[in-house]
Amino acid sequence: AARVRAAAHPVLPGTGTGAEEALRTLVTTIAEGAADPADPLCAAHLHCPPLALATAADLAASALNPSMDSWDQAPAASALEALVTTALAAEVYPGHPAADALLT
């Protein structure tokens, strides 16, 4: 907590440090004070260690921010969603000629 207070002081400065320095300070401060669920001595009672691939996928999803409320805002993600839900439906209803699914 003391390191966070020191890094975040002042919390609302009159003049900022710039995007790169602010991001570096934020990531360094949070990383230094974070629990590491991949550490064998960490009792990660609510979360498991993230997979590197999942972290990269989350970065891509965050950066692209596909809005799934309409096809025109995320056509590729919408097409992928249709493929995945159809494949999942086929797993649940094997042999059904038109298995379909919906995620909300």
Side-chain angles (χ1 to χ4, degrees):
R3 286 189 213 168
V4 172
R5 281 193 299 275
H9 183 75
V11 174
L12 300 175
T15 304
T17 60
E20 289 180 14
E21 180 61 28
L23 183 60
R24 183 176 10 271
T25 300
L26 173 69
V27 171
T28 300
T29 302
I30 297 299
E32 287 176 348
D36 179 4
D39 187 299
L41 298 178
C42 180
H45 56 94
L46 295 176
H47 59 289
C48 62
L51 298 172
L53 182 60
T55 303
D58 189 52
L59 174 62
S62 295
L64 297 171
N65 194 24
S67 180
M68 298 301 293
D69 62 332
S70 65
W71 182 89
D72 64 317
Q73 296 182 60
S78 296
L80 180 59
E81 179 184 47
L83 291 170
V84 170
T85 55
T86 300
L88 290 173
E91 289 287 321
V92 175
Y93 298 103
H96 190 284
D100 198 5
L102 173 68
L103 298 177
T104 60

